[in-house]
Amino acid sequence: MAASPTAPVSQVYTWEPSNPVLAARYGLRPEDILRFDLNTSPLPSPDLATMLAGPFDPPLNEYPDSMYPAVVEAAAAYVGVDPSEVLVGAGADEVLDVIAKTFLPAGGRAVVPIPTYSMYGVLSTQRDATLDTVLRRGAADGFDIDLGRLVPRLDGAHVVWLCAPNNPTGAPESLEVVTQVLEEAAKLGRRGPVVVVDEAYAEFSPETSIPLIDRYPGLIVVRTVSKAFALAGVRVGYAVAQRPTIERLERLRPPGSISTMSAMVAGAALRDPDQARRNARQLSGERDWLAARLAVMGFPAYPSITNFLLVSFGTVEAAEDVTDALLHAGIVTRTFGPANPLRGHLRFTVRTRDQDERLLDVLGTWQAGRQA
């Protein structure tokens, strides 16, 4: 969600209500609530019993090793970098928070192409920094970054927030465009910003910015095990950057924010990423099926390479009306507030076939009611 530079955090982001809260509000059972808003995986998590077979090292009566060596080494091997170039946090959101605390001072400026992930606005305004939003190109251009607008804003900025693939549009963030942003930032020397590339959906994309790290000291790539790895509840993410950048992040990283068990699970998953790759392939196929069905109903989704679809309902009134109908049926979607250029759209997480069919049924009932 886009926000004005002076907007309070309460206007930048709204934390998702829990299933019990939603169920009570709409007279449903918590187990009847389906989350089409969180972009988590509906597929089973890896075999946790095997991952947690133990023994725990250190034992659970002691604090975990705050350097999380098992996760760091597994992540480094997975993405092909040295372990010294990896920093681990409690989910990608904590990693992004550490980056903001390290590189974005009060009174600083963060540049963000919108629409994109709302958390960048939250973190920037929490730092009492200016959120310098740059409108992306339109849907016909795949919501690409408008370099003509973005590049002049780099001079004097502290951080640039990029999302590849982009959330909530589902579109790829071209590696060529990311490289151009990095080149322009590098030309500015000390006046140039740190460029953060959030790759939460990396397993769904054929491209990654990680090979660019050796060339650009100002690049930080952020990853997570929440999406394709189907481990959102484990809360493990990591940053990849040149060693001097990681050293700066380490100074502000909280110790022990990841539990011993979370570290064990995430490390095991990263050492055996085949299940994540299978999940990405399966969800991509389901995404294409769901997009085709939505198009037949007259709700074409924008092209997506992720595990979610962005759909326009034409008007703000229609989007609000269908959201209400879906909520009364126990289906929660991602909506966009008044300041967001995507107001009038909804974002749907791709779920299992029976759950996606339940979504389509409710949409069909709503559509028939509107046409009656």
Side-chain angles (χ1 to χ4, degrees):
M1 172 179 170
S4 65
T6 58
V9 171
S10 61
Q11 293 180 17
V12 177
Y13 196 79
T14 300
W15 310 117
E16 300 90 354
S18 67
N19 286 4
V21 167
L22 288 168
R25 186 179 301 167
Y26 292 97
L28 302 167
R29 300 176 303 169
E31 57 268 30
D32 292 331
I33 302 295
L34 277 181
R35 305 301 302 229
F36 280 84
D37 60 327
L38 300 178
N39 289 350
T40 50
S41 173
L43 304 177
S45 301
D47 183 2
L48 298 184
T50 300
M51 292 178 167
L52 294 173
F56 295 112
D57 183 23
L60 295 183
N61 61 302
E62 302 292 348
Y63 290 114
D65 185 332
S66 62
M67 297 304 292
Y68 314 112
V71 185
V72 167
E73 290 167 11
Y78 175 52
V79 300
V81 300
D82 189 87
S84 67
E85 298 175 314
V86 175
L87 175 132
V88 174
D93 283 344
E94 183 181 67
V95 175
L96 295 170
D97 182 53
V98 172
I99 293 170
K101 289 175 178 175
T102 303
F103 293 103
L104 189 56
R109 183 163 57 89
V111 177
V112 55
I114 61 169
T116 195
Y117 182 37
S118 302
M119 199 66 189
Y120 310 141
V122 173
L123 297 173
S124 300
T125 55
Q126 282 179 343
R127 301 301 302 156
D128 199 21
T130 297
L131 183 62
D132 189 357
T133 57
V134 181
L135 194 64
R136 291 173 175 269
R137 297 185 185 276
D141 294 312
F143 296 104
D144 289 343
I145 291 174
D146 189 333
L147 288 171
R149 292 179 175 178
L150 180 73
V151 169
R153 314 282 265 279
L154 299 178
D155 195 348
H158 295 83
V159 172
V160 177
W161 300 110
L162 303 181
C163 193
N166 189 40
N167 173 19
T169 65
E173 201 78 284
S174 163
L175 192 59
E176 179 182 355
V177 171
V178 172
T179 303
Q180 287 180 270
V181 174
L182 288 163
E183 278 290 328
E184 296 297 331
K187 289 177 185 177
L188 295 169
R190 293 194 174 188
R191 299 197 317 275
V194 167
V195 178
V196 182
V197 181
D198 182 353
E199 293 189 346
Y201 304 92
E203 285 72 24
F204 294 90
S205 173
E207 295 185 323
T208 174
S209 296
I210 286 178
L212 300 175
I213 285 170
D214 289 341
R215 197 189 319 171
Y216 297 104
L219 170 63
I220 306 173
V221 179
V222 179
R223 292 282 193 95
T224 183
V225 299
S226 292
K227 307 303 183 182
F229 283 91
L231 290 170
V234 169
R235 306 308 302 129
V236 174
Y238 56 99
V240 185
Q242 289 189 14
R243 180 58 196 165
T245 300
I246 294 296
E247 287 179 342
R248 291 189 64 180
L249 295 174
E250 285 176 341
R251 296 171 196 159
L252 291 177
R253 177 182 60 84
S257 61
I258 301 173
S259 73
T260 299
M261 291 181 286
S262 288
M264 287 183 67
V265 170
L270 288 164
R271 286 190 295 272
D272 184 18
D274 285 346
Q275 181 167 350
R277 295 179 179 128
R278 289 193 298 271
N279 285 352
R281 287 194 297 269
Q282 182 175 338
L283 290 171
S284 295
E286 183 66 17
R287 175 199 66 222
D288 294 343
W289 177 88
L290 179 58
R293 291 292 301 274
L294 286 166
V296 168
M297 298 176 67
F299 306 129
Y302 296 109
S304 171
I305 65 167
T306 61
N307 66 329
F308 56 85
L309 293 167
L310 180 68
V311 178
S312 172
F313 284 85
T315 67
V316 172
E317 184 273 333
E320 291 177 347
D321 193 45
V322 72
T323 297
D324 187 63
L326 289 166
L327 284 169
H328 278 88
I331 294 175
V332 192
T333 66
R334 174 64 77 207
T335 60
F336 303 97
N340 197 298
L342 292 178
R343 195 175 184 207
H345 295 69
L346 297 178
R347 192 196 68 196
F348 299 115
T349 303
V350 176
R351 300 196 61 86
T352 61
R353 180 61 55 87
D354 62 326
Q355 293 170 342
D356 291 339
E357 286 178 337
R358 179 173 155 190
L359 168 68
L360 293 169
D361 287 344
V362 177
L363 286 175
T365 300
W366 172 81
Q367 184 181 50
R370 295 269 293 190
Q371 295 172 348

